[in-house]
Amino acid sequence: IINSIVEKKAYYSKLAIITVCCLLVNYFLINQVELMQGYEASGLLGILSSSILSIWIFNRGNKLFTQSDKSSFISWIMASTLIKMISSFGLLLAFAYFFNPPSNYFIAPYFIFYFIYFIFETIEFSNLTKR
């Protein structure tokens, strides 16, 4: 139990650092790229949705990892990837519907942060399986 608490604290600390860095990039660097100017909202949507899903995926994955049957953990990792992709597609469609952006470049900031969180989760779950 203590190991689990330490792992969760470490994960949440790293997630907070990633989130703060992404917020800074979203507000200070995304607007510097001419094609992405004005699409900070889609970047913010990517950060918020990815961080919320990361917390949910980690908590469920951590619980499944402690079970003796590791196949449920592997199934969860694959299912969570699919869930993130489908929810991202839905969120982007909703964003396009409600905000009616003038071009499709609004997708880029969202996926920049989606991929950052994806890499972070992959590294964290890889480290979890090595322990």
Side-chain angles (χ1 to χ4, degrees), residues 26 30 36 39 42-43 105-114:
N26 189 48
I30 293 293
M36 290 189 260
Y39 295 130
S42 70
Y105 292 117
F106 75 94
I107 296 171
Y110 183 93
F111 276 111
I112 287 170
F113 300 116
Y114 174 91

